[in-house]
């Protein structure tokens, strides 16, 4: 185009630009990446040639962008940005991140909030520990806006890191209780039999340990370590079970000939001998008034020392040797386990079991009642089962089952805390402490070289004694002491039972 034609068009174009290059109607509605072009086809119809001349004659590209920018710059003065709190918890910088994350954090914060809203104190240098605050999807957390007084504990100046409302309150986990891994005392127990179906160790409420060794029963006083031989059954008999009364003054002994003997533990004098079983009496259990005995003859006999007869009732239900017996703490129910893999529950009035629990797949010797919850029973199975099962005897339902990995020989429930201890045989011979109801392992103790067949607990509930065919008795501190109740504040009232006298 020559000079005369440029003058006729009325458009002042640079010398290097032809009129055909101004075909604005052909511009795409979506400009290419990196281009500053816009769809101006509609607005140009109403624009004057002088306006177009001013745009085209601009010598600085940055000025044209600033004049015709499509960015929307909001007015943040009306925003309620103070209702958003930044989490001040610093996250560790990833390895190899260098200082780029710090610069990016400051740039992002500046773009989001600008420099007029008082967030300069969140810079990397002011964050606790000097670590740059990492950006994450939870960087912004919405807080409820309050309008309290200036001295209110809920004022916005306090709703920060100290109050814990702007971030998650993290409670430090309680450290696990430490249980000593070694026994604090070991006693020799020669002739302690390696027989799964016998119960030869018991600890009285008067702190005296009874142990059946061969044909004799020995008493060991935990207070002064004095050893006393209670009795000798002679060459033709043997001790199969021992069990103290709850008061701890009398002890019952089950013999290989099927007798049940009752002795005065303080005077070492026999009080009573009762028959009724055809063969060995391997397990005994006292309630407040009744002594129950289980035998290889598959029967359970109920004895009452107040009547002259050998037994007052016979419970028939097992199809093989009875090896586990435990009365509930309220004396209402008796649980029995047998070599027939059955766990039976009896009450005081019925001659037939009220529950027949057959989920175990091996002999049930280990039985314990919860001292913390009525009707909660735990049982353990032998080598082919290896499980500890929990039962609700009110409904008859199984609550839980835990595979321990080895034969369960004994169970005892702590009265101080809601935990259990189990002793095991094939093939690990371990002692395990469990939390209930989570059944998380508190400790695993080892030391016996043979299966841990015998278990008893001290009267204070802190120490257990275990016995095995390796002819040793080992004492372990596994449970804490009873929590002392908080002292009662003096309110001016004297308590007398359930009656308060002012």
């Amino acid at each position: 185009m020559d000079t005369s034609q440029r003058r006729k068009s009325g458009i002042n174009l640079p010398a290097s630009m032809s009129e055909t290059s101004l075909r604005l109607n052909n511009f795409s509605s979506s400009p290419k990446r990196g281009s500053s072009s816009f769809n101006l086809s509609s607005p140009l119809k109403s624009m004057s040639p002088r306006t177009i001349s001013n745009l085209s004659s601009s010598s600085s590209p940055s000025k044209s962008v600033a004049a015709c920018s499509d960015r929307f710059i909001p007015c943040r003065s009306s925003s309620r940005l103070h209702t958003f709190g930044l989490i001040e918890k610093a996250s560790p910088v990833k390895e190899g991140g260098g200082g780029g994350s710090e610069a990016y954090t400051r740039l992002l914060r500046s773009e989001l909030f600008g420099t007029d809203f008082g967030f300069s104190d969140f810079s990397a240098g002011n964050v606790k520990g000097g670590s740059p605050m990492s950006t994450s999807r939870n960087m912004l957390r919405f807080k409820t806006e309050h309008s309290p007084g200036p001295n209110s504990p809920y004022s916005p100046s306090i709703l920060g890191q100290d109050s814990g409302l702007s971030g998650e309150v993290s409670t430090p986990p309680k450290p696990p209780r430490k249980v000593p891994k070694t026994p604090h005392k070991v006693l020799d127990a020669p002739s302690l039999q390696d027989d799964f179906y016998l119960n030869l160790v018991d600890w009285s409420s008067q702190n005296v340990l009874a142990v059946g060794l061969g044909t004799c029963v020995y008493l060991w006083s935990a207070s002064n370590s004095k050893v006393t031989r209670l009795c000798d059954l002679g060459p033709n008999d043997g001790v199969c079970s021992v069990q103290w009364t709850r008061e701890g003054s009398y002890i019952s002994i089950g013999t290989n000939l099927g007798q049940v003997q009752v002795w005065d533990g303080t005077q070492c004098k026999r009080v009573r001998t009762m028959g009724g079983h055809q063969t060995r009496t391997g397990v005994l259990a006292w309630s407040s008034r009744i002594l129950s005995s289980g035998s290889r003859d598959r029967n359970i006999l109920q004895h009452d020392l107040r009547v002259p007869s050998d037994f007052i009732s016979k419970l028939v239900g097992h199809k093989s040797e009875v090896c586990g017996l435990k009365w509930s703490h309220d004396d209402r129910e008796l649980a029995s386990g047998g070599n027939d893999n059955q766990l039976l529950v009896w009450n005081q009035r019925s001659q037939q079991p009220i529950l027949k629990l057959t989920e175990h797949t091996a002999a049930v010797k280990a039985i314990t009642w919860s001292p913390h919850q009525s009707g909660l029973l735990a049982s353990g199975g032998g080598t082919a089962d290896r499980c500890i099962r929990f039962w609700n005897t009110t409904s008859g339902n199984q609550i839980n089952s835990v595979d321990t990995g080895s034969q369960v020989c004994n169970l005892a429930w702590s009265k101080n805390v809601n935990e259990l201890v189990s002793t095991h045989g094939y093939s690990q011979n371990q002692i395990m402490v469990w939390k209930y109801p989570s059944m998380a392992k508190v400790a695993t103790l080892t030391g016996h070289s043979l299966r841990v067949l015998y278990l008893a607990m001290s009267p204070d509930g802190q120490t257990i004694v275990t016995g095995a065919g390796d002819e040793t008795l080992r004492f372990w501190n596994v449970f804490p002491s009873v929590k002392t109740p908080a002292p009662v504040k003096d309110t001016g009232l004297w308590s007398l039972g359930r009656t308060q006298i002012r």
Side-chain angles (χ1 to χ4, degrees):
M1 175 183 283
D2 54 9
T3 306
S4 61
Q5 289 177 339
R6 291 194 188 102
R7 291 175 180 174
K8 289 181 182 180
S9 62
I11 301 175
N12 186 14
L13 296 175
S16 60
M17 190 172 184
S18 63
E19 187 178 5
T20 57
S21 62
L22 284 177
R23 298 185 181 276
L24 301 179
N25 289 329
N26 296 330
F27 272 69
S28 172
S29 60
S30 299
K32 294 182 180 180
R33 183 178 179 181
S35 173
S36 59
S37 301
F38 304 96
N39 186 2
L40 301 178
S41 58
S42 297
L44 280 177
K45 294 180 180 180
S46 59
M47 293 178 68
S48 64
R50 184 180 298 275
T51 303
I52 299 177
S53 175
N54 291 337
L55 290 174
S56 61
S57 61
S58 177
S59 60
S60 175
S62 61
K63 292 182 180 181
S64 63
V65 173
C68 300
S69 173
D70 66 335
R71 290 186 57 196
F72 170 70
I73 306 300
C75 178
R76 300 188 186 276
S77 60
S78 61
S79 303
R80 297 188 301 164
L81 291 179
H82 62 277
T83 61
F84 287 87
L86 279 174
I87 299 177
E88 297 181 5
K89 184 177 180 181
S91 300
V93 180
K94 294 183 178 180
E95 185 179 357
S101 60
E102 179 181 355
Y104 176 74
T105 301
R106 290 199 297 266
L107 178 61
L108 178 62
R109 190 182 301 111
S110 176
E111 289 294 328
L112 287 174
F113 303 108
T115 58
D116 304 326
F117 294 95
F119 290 102
S120 59
D121 60 328
F122 284 82
S123 61
N126 293 331
V127 178
K128 290 184 179 180
S131 301
M133 184 178 61
S134 65
T135 58
S136 66
R137 59 183 180 181
N138 291 325
M139 186 184 70
L140 296 175
R141 185 178 297 275
F142 186 73
K143 298 185 301 184
T144 304
E145 190 173 13
H146 299 274
S147 300
N151 296 326
S152 171
Y154 302 101
S155 60
S157 61
I158 299 177
L159 287 176
Q161 184 176 359
D162 295 337
S163 68
L165 296 181
S166 62
E168 296 180 0
V169 179
S170 58
T171 303
K174 186 178 180 181
R177 178 166 54 85
K178 293 183 179 180
V179 176
K181 297 295 184 180
T182 58
H184 65 86
K185 186 186 294 291
V186 179
L187 299 180
D188 288 327
S191 302
L192 186 61
Q193 297 187 55
D194 184 23
D195 193 327
F196 179 81
Y197 301 98
L198 305 186
N199 296 270
L200 298 176
V201 178
D202 194 32
W203 204 330
S204 78
S205 59
Q206 296 185 9
N207 209 17
V208 177
L209 186 70
V211 185
L213 301 177
T215 62
C216 300
V217 174
Y218 292 88
L219 305 181
W220 178 80
S221 174
S223 57
N224 55 21
S225 299
K226 181 182 178 181
V227 178
T228 304
R229 188 175 71 175
L230 176 68
C231 66
D232 188 346
L233 301 181
N236 299 323
D237 207 348
V239 180
C240 295
S241 56
V242 294
Q243 183 73 35
W244 288 98
T245 60
R246 293 182 180 178
E247 295 76 18
S249 54
Y250 289 87
I251 183 174
S252 58
I253 302 171
T255 73
N256 193 49
L257 297 178
Q259 291 182 342
V260 177
Q261 299 181 9
V262 179
W263 288 71
D264 186 336
T266 57
Q267 301 182 9
C268 296
K269 180 181 179 180
R270 185 169 61 183
V271 176
R272 183 85 178 266
T273 300
M274 295 170 287
H277 288 297
Q278 304 301 317
T279 182
R280 71 178 185 181
T281 306
V283 61
L284 299 166
W286 281 95
S287 70
S288 299
R289 299 178 179 179
I290 302 298
L291 170 62
S292 302
S293 60
S295 171
R296 182 181 276 178
D297 63 12
R298 302 173 294 180
N299 297 326
I300 301 171
L301 299 181
Q302 307 279 55
H303 309 273
D304 192 337
L305 299 184
R306 298 169 297 179
V307 299
S309 59
D310 286 340
F311 57 93
I312 58 174
S313 63
K314 179 186 293 187
L315 305 181
V316 180
H318 284 284
K319 301 176 182 178
S320 187
E321 180 172 7
V322 181
C323 53
L325 274 180
K326 279 291 172 62
W327 280 96
S328 63
H329 297 279
D330 56 9
D331 292 343
R332 294 183 179 181
E333 295 176 323
L334 173 68
S336 64
N339 198 30
D340 55 359
N341 309 343
Q342 287 192 106
L343 176 64
L344 306 181
V345 180
W346 317 74
N347 62 20
Q348 294 177 325
R349 297 174 298 275
S350 175
Q351 298 297 312
Q352 299 295 325
I354 58 174
L355 286 177
K356 288 186 178 182
L357 308 172
T358 59
E359 277 76 3
H360 282 292
T361 57
V364 182
K365 177 191 178 185
I367 299 173
T368 185
W369 292 88
S370 170
H372 311 285
Q373 183 176 343
S374 178
L376 179 57
L377 175 66
S379 60
T383 308
D385 185 77
R386 305 183 306 272
C387 291
I388 300 175
R389 303 178 188 271
F390 297 89
W391 314 89
N392 183 338
T393 59
T394 303
S395 63
N397 296 328
Q398 179 175 278
I399 301 173
N400 192 13
S401 177
V402 178
D403 190 343
T404 65
S406 58
Q407 178 189 41
V408 184
C409 300
N410 289 282
L411 284 171
W413 214 305
S414 171
K415 62 181 180 180
N416 299 347
V417 289
N418 201 7
E419 297 178 1
L420 302 95
V421 60
S422 59
T423 68
H424 299 268
Y426 304 123
S427 58
Q428 302 177 39
N429 306 324
Q430 78 274 36
I431 302 159
M432 304 181 73
V433 183
W434 311 81
K435 282 186 176 295
Y436 187 84
S438 66
M439 291 306 289
K441 294 179 184 178
V442 178
T444 300
L445 311 175
T446 56
H448 285 288
S449 58
L450 293 176
R451 51 186 180 170
V452 189
L453 296 176
Y454 310 111
L455 170 68
M457 190 177 296
S458 64
D460 64 3
Q462 299 183 52
T463 304
I464 63 170
V465 59
T466 57
D470 57 10
E471 299 185 340
T472 62
L473 295 173
R474 299 173 185 262
F475 295 79
W476 315 78
N477 290 324
V478 295
F479 295 121
S481 60
V482 180
K483 295 181 179 179
T484 56
V488 180
K489 294 181 180 180
D490 186 7
T491 58
L493 299 177
W494 295 89
S495 177
L496 182 61
R498 295 186 178 180
T499 306
Q500 289 184 335
I501 304 175
R502 188 177 295 275

